[in-house]
């Protein structure tokens, strides 16, 4: 049995909440865009430059995130037409998660290999 369908002692059968959460936000580009929008509203081209994503990839990711209620889209019709993206309350609630991952990364990713100890 894989972890996603492993039974939880408290919740009965079904996907583990951690696995389900990672499936929603866990793609490389979704994480990059969600993290980038933590700084506030950005235009499509600003996101494209700051994330390094292609227009096609960024458009697909933003559509997915909007559909899942992580971001909102606002269009200004004035010349030039501009599309802005901003985190919803749901998207903004991920900020402490990103902070914790950053703390973990600083401690463990730069630490080098961990040596095994003999018992």
């Amino acid at each position: 049995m894989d972890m996603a369908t492993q039974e939880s002692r408290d919740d009965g059968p079904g996907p583990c909440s951690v696995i389900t959460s990672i499936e929603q936000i866990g793609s490389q580009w979704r994480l990059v865009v969600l993290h980038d929008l933590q700084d506030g509203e950005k235009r499509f081209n600003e996101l494209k430059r700051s994330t390094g994503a292609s227009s096609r990839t960024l458009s697909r990711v933003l559509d997915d995130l909007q559909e899942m209620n992580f971001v909102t889209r606002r269009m200004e019709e004035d010349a030039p037409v501009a599309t802005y993206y901003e985190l919803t309350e749901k998207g903004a609630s991920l900020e402490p998660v990103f902070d914790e991952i950053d703390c973990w990364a600083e401690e463990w990713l730069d630490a080098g290999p961990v040596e095994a100890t003999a018992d």
Side-chain angles (χ1 to χ4, degrees):
M1 182 182 306
D2 68 22
M3 286 183 67
T5 57
Q6 181 179 347
E7 286 189 37
S8 168
R9 290 185 183 139
D10 299 327
D11 300 327
C16 168
S17 62
V18 172
I19 301 301
T20 302
S21 299
I22 295 300
E23 286 173 349
Q24 279 203 2
I25 64 170
S27 80
Q28 172 192 351
W29 291 113
R30 285 181 189 168
L31 288 170
V32 168
V33 170
L34 287 167
H35 186 265
D36 204 44
L37 285 171
Q38 296 291 319
D39 296 330
E41 181 181 73
K42 291 192 176 182
R43 292 174 64 159
F44 183 87
N45 286 333
E46 289 176 304
L47 282 168
K48 185 178 171 195
R49 276 191 302 274
S50 63
T51 63
S54 69
S55 294
R56 182 177 177 184
T57 297
L58 184 58
S59 181
R60 179 182 46 82
V61 168
L62 287 166
D63 286 347
D64 289 348
L65 291 172
Q66 187 178 1
E67 185 177 306
M68 293 183 293
N69 197 34
F70 284 105
V71 300
T72 58
R73 182 173 78 178
R74 177 176 67 87
M75 292 194 61
E76 282 192 2
E77 300 296 330
D78 299 333
V81 174
T83 306
Y84 293 86
Y85 293 89
E86 185 174 28
L87 294 175
T88 62
E89 184 179 352
K90 181 179 177 180
S93 72
L94 292 169
E95 185 172 359
V97 175
F98 283 114
D99 291 343
E100 286 299 318
I101 291 171
D102 188 47
C103 289
W104 179 87
E106 286 179 14
E107 181 176 348
W108 293 101
L109 295 184
D110 295 334
V114 177
E115 293 185 28
T117 59
D119 290 328

